[in-house]
Amino acid sequence: MLDFHKNHRLLVLTAFTVFLVLSIIIAVIPAYQLQETEPLPNMEALSDQELRGLQVYTAENCVACHTQQVRNIEMDNTWGDRPSMASDYYYSKMRQDVWRQSPSILGSERTGPDLTNVGKRQPGEEWHLLHLYNPRIVVKESIMPSYPWLFEEVSEKDIRKNDLVVPVPSKFLKDKDKKIIASEKAKDLIAYLQSLKQASLTANMKADEFIPASKKKEVTKSDEESNLVDGAQLYMKTCAACHQADGQGLSGAFPPLAGSSIVNDSNPETLIKIILQGYDARAEYGVMAGFAEMLTDEEVAAIANHERSSWGNSAPTVTKDEVKKIRDYIKMLNQ
């Protein structure tokens, strides 16, 4: 019989043994197994700049408000195409240096949105720059803090050749005569955020389903109307962060869509190409990334139609066949 209340040596040895066994089972074995994880075939290693950005990400404690884990529950389908798996973290679990362990990026709070796939959802550099400098510029309701120490305020005559000027609207500047320059840390952090994209799986790989798994049903004629793609909802999810919900854009950063000659053109080819390929408007605005990989033909048509019929715009309807024709033409040119 164990006599713990009298034999203190036995008590300490037993407690230590239990602690050791639990530590091995809960911590050591899973950590060892994690080392055997391989990257997904389509994953790319983080560049030196992206690795520096990861260090800025952890130093600024972004993990306190943002997760990078798509759980296998249906509501998380918003943040990724599939639930996260161990291989997704292969390149971010490396030690930072001799003294620092792998950074913690999973997070446990979603005060802000999950960032697992933010490189696809929000690929534009200008948007991230404005969002870091003052989140309220691009998301009026945002409660995220500003990060002004990642930027420098300089006179226009002091701007150097390689400086990255942030197109901050004048009403958000304390000194209207100053320009905002992104620091190297800001550029590194944005490069890291832009790299956050869920790698696609190969044909012989299968991802876990979201729980409860949505069962696809055959669409009948009576269902067609209720299953139409919602262009307004897609616009709010994909475009409104830059062009704003009212289509007015942001002066010096993102062009307005309300009253735009491109949006209202009877020939929708240019508008469709911009949505698919993106657009370089640095002469007056910034660079927009394309959404060809993210949006289907039907979704592109729905967004274009929402833009062409909102905020006083009035232009003919775009069909998904028109989008497909232009997408195929772009693919042919890029071959």
Side-chain angles (χ1 to χ4, degrees):
M1 184 175 177
L2 299 177
D3 195 11
F4 287 137
H5 68 289
K6 290 182 179 179
N7 191 338
H8 293 171
R9 183 178 180 182
L10 179 61
L11 174 63
V12 171
L13 284 173
T14 303
F16 177 75
T17 302
V18 172
F19 168 77
L20 185 62
V21 171
L22 288 176
S23 296
I24 292 172
I25 295 172
I26 296 172
V28 177
I29 293 176
Y32 179 77
Q33 290 174 334
L34 190 62
Q35 304 308 310
E36 299 175 351
T37 304
E38 295 295 328
L40 295 171
N42 296 320
M43 283 181 70
E44 295 182 6
L46 295 174
S47 67
D48 290 340
Q49 184 182 29
E50 290 162 0
L51 281 170
R52 293 195 302 271
L54 172 56
Q55 293 180 358
V56 177
Y57 182 88
T58 54
E60 297 296 344
N61 201 27
C62 301
V63 72
C65 296
H66 296 282
T67 57
Q68 284 188 44
Q69 49 174 318
V70 180
R71 301 167 298 179
N72 63 336
I73 55 178
E74 201 165 32
M75 65 183 289
D76 272 26
N77 203 352
T78 303
W79 310 121
D81 303 322
R82 56 171 174 78
S84 297
M85 55 180 67
S87 295
D88 291 325
Y89 308 100
Y90 180 82
Y91 291 114
S92 59
K93 70 179 178 65
M94 307 299 183
R95 293 185 69 93
Q96 295 189 60
D97 52 42
V98 175
W99 306 107
R100 291 183 293 176
Q101 182 56 278
S102 303
S104 174
I105 60 170
L106 287 179
S108 61
E109 300 291 336
R110 279 191 181 160
T111 307
D114 183 272
L115 301 179
T116 298
N117 218 23
V118 71
K120 283 186 179 177
R121 290 201 316 269
Q122 198 55 260
E125 182 183 52
E126 283 81 7
W127 188 91
H128 286 291
L129 286 167
L130 291 167
H131 191 236
L132 284 174
Y133 179 74
N134 185 342
R136 263 65 59 191
I137 296 177
V138 289
V139 184
K140 293 178 182 178
E141 302 81 9
S142 177
I143 60 171
M144 174 176 156
S146 303
Y147 290 84
W149 53 87
L150 294 178
F151 300 87
E152 186 182 354
E153 196 177 67
V154 300
S155 300
E156 191 163 357
K157 61 182 178 63
D158 295 325
I159 297 175
R160 295 156 299 211
K161 182 180 179 181
N162 295 323
D163 283 341
L164 179 56
V165 180
V166 185
V168 179
S170 58
K171 67 177 181 178
F172 292 98
L173 293 172
K174 293 180 182 177
D175 187 340
K176 311 293 187 202
D177 297 324
K178 298 285 187 179
K179 296 291 183 181
I180 304 300
I181 304 298
S183 68
E184 291 303 315
K185 282 188 175 182
K187 289 188 270 189
D188 293 344
L189 176 55
I190 290 169
Y192 171 67
L193 293 173
Q194 289 177 313
S195 76
L196 295 178
K197 302 173 185 177
Q198 268 193 326
S200 57
L201 304 182
T202 57
N204 61 338
M205 299 178 74
K206 187 177 179 181
D208 292 338
E209 292 186 356
F210 289 99
I211 303 173
S214 297
K215 292 183 179 178
K216 294 182 180 178
K217 67 171 185 175
E218 210 175 302
V219 179
T220 62
K221 286 186 178 179
S222 58
D223 294 325
E224 282 179 358
E225 254 186 67
S226 60
N227 284 326
L228 289 175
V229 176
D230 189 336
Q233 187 177 19
L234 270 172
Y235 174 84
M236 291 303 296
K237 182 180 176 181
T238 310
C239 316
C242 296
H243 296 289
Q244 303 300 294
D246 58 4
Q248 295 301 317
L250 285 172
S251 178
F254 310 115
L257 302 179
S260 165
S261 58
I262 292 176
V263 175
N264 284 289
D265 194 333
S266 58
N267 183 351
E269 182 178 349
T270 302
L271 176 60
I272 293 171
K273 282 183 175 178
I274 289 173
I275 297 173
L276 291 172
Q277 293 180 294
Y279 188 68
D280 188 343
R282 276 177 288 193
E284 188 176 357
Y285 296 101
V287 179
M288 172 182 160
F291 292 92
E293 294 182 9
M294 185 176 173
L295 300 172
T296 65
D297 295 339
E298 190 176 10
E299 288 170 335
V300 172
I303 290 173
N305 287 329
H306 173 69
E307 294 173 353
R308 288 160 72 84
S309 62
S310 302
W311 321 301
N313 294 338
S314 180
T317 301
V318 176
T319 67
K320 65 178 182 180
D321 291 334
E322 289 178 286
V323 177
K324 183 180 185 306
K325 184 178 177 182
I326 293 171
R327 189 194 291 268
D328 290 343
Y329 177 71
I330 293 170
K331 283 182 181 178
M332 183 189 71
L333 290 179
N334 292 332
Q335 284 177 351

